[in-house]
Amino acid sequence: MPADDPRSRPDERLAAVHARIGGAERLARRDAGGTTLIAISKTQAAEAIAPLIAAGQRVFGENRVQEAEGKWPALREAHGDIALHLVGQLQSNKAEEAVALFDAIHSLDRSSLVGALARAMDKVGRRPACFIQVNLADEPQKGGCTVDDLPGLLAEARAADIPVAGLMTVPPADLEAAPWFALLAKLARDHGLTGLSMGMSGDYETAVTLGATHVRVGTALFGART
Ligand SMILES: *Cc1c(COP(=O)(O)O)cnc(C)c1O
């Protein structure tokens, strides 16, 4: 049964996504297993998430702090070690909660958030890896710093002792993704960053061939969100 068939089983969908990631890694002559699959579980109930955990998935992503706080403490309690990544916009007044709950934050995109995260990390006593989100096409409705603001923001984050793992982007929905992924990879190289959070259900194989270290896949693992 094809992986995107809603009747398929979660373990089959997971295996299919891993197979495609593996195929893209081989195609690009990358080391096998160099891509971290983040299962984006936003809007999904615990009952939909548990079967993926049972199938071996250990890295999940959410886009809202409050939703994640409601779901994940119990899931972690029941299933043990799970890494949680925040992939949605973060308000400064939620920085402390985010630092306490998440193991990585993919949406560092402005100066004020650098300050809030640095203070939260000192207070909470943990330093989750951060990705700087870049709004490559200057889309007004999306988070992310501009390409021009990236060097300054990166310098501020490094000065504030925030562990910057790499760059993250969500390319324009209506355009071919590959050129944007290639641009993000170039920006990361230029700044000595190794992490690349790029690629969603519709384009993660392309992202992997262009160097993604983290792909954020929701629909292909859970089916369409309702
Ligand atoms: C929802 C979301 C995803 C996953 O999207 P799918 O198309 O369902 O795979 C990835 N990244 C971000 C930032 C998201 O908000």
Side-chain angles (χ1 to χ4, degrees):
M1 194 177 289
D4 55 3
D5 189 309
R7 293 164 303 168
S8 68
R9 298 197 332 237
D11 58 328
E12 295 170 338
R13 294 184 199 167
L14 181 62
V17 171
H18 274 301
R20 289 182 181 191
I21 289 172
E25 286 172 343
R26 278 193 298 281
L27 183 66
R29 304 288 193 273
R30 293 181 50 179
D31 289 343
T35 314
T36 298
L37 170 62
I38 307 171
I40 304 297
S41 50
K42 65 185 182 196
T43 79
Q44 304 295 341
E47 298 74 56
I49 297 171
L52 266 195
I53 301 175
Q57 179 65 23
R58 285 290 177 277
V59 185
F60 287 83
E62 292 280 344
N63 70 335
R64 287 166 192 270
V65 176
Q66 236 163 343
E67 181 186 340
E69 279 178 326
K71 281 192 313 210
W72 281 99
L75 279 164
R76 277 172 155 166
E77 180 88 19
H79 301 280
D81 229 17
I82 284 160
L84 262 194
H85 291 231
L86 177 65
V87 301
Q89 285 192 50
L90 176 58
Q91 292 168 275
S92 292
N93 62 8
K94 294 260 170 63
E96 221 175 285
E97 286 152 277
V99 164
L101 182 67
F102 290 97
D103 301 290
I105 293 170
H106 292 239
S107 48
L108 175 51
D109 64 355
R110 61 195 186 277
S111 224
S112 56
L113 193 53
V114 168
L117 280 173
R119 284 191 296 279
M121 286 179 185
D122 287 341
K123 185 158 175 207
V124 177
R126 49 193 316 263
R127 310 193 88 71
C130 292
F131 292 78
I132 295 187
Q133 182 175 352
V134 190
N135 187 341
L136 293 171
D138 292 326
E139 293 175 282
Q141 78 280 19
K142 271 186 193 164
C145 69
T146 65
V147 172
D148 288 343
D149 286 343
L150 173 61
L153 191 60
L154 180 60
E156 279 181 48
R158 284 173 167 157
D161 221 12
I162 288 179
V164 180
L167 302 181
M168 179 273 209
T169 201
V170 180
D174 48 344
L175 298 174
E176 201 194 326
W180 306 104
F181 293 156
L183 175 55
L184 195 74
K186 181 195 183 302
L187 290 170
R189 265 197 315 278
D190 288 350
H191 293 287
L193 294 165
T194 50
L196 279 175
S197 169
M198 57 189 198
M200 314 193 345
S201 289
D203 51 26
Y204 66 90
E205 290 166 276
T206 302
V208 170
T209 64
L210 289 164
T213 59
H214 294 73
V215 290
R216 311 178 309 265
V217 178
T219 309
L221 291 171
F222 290 99
R225 284 179 291 277
T226 44

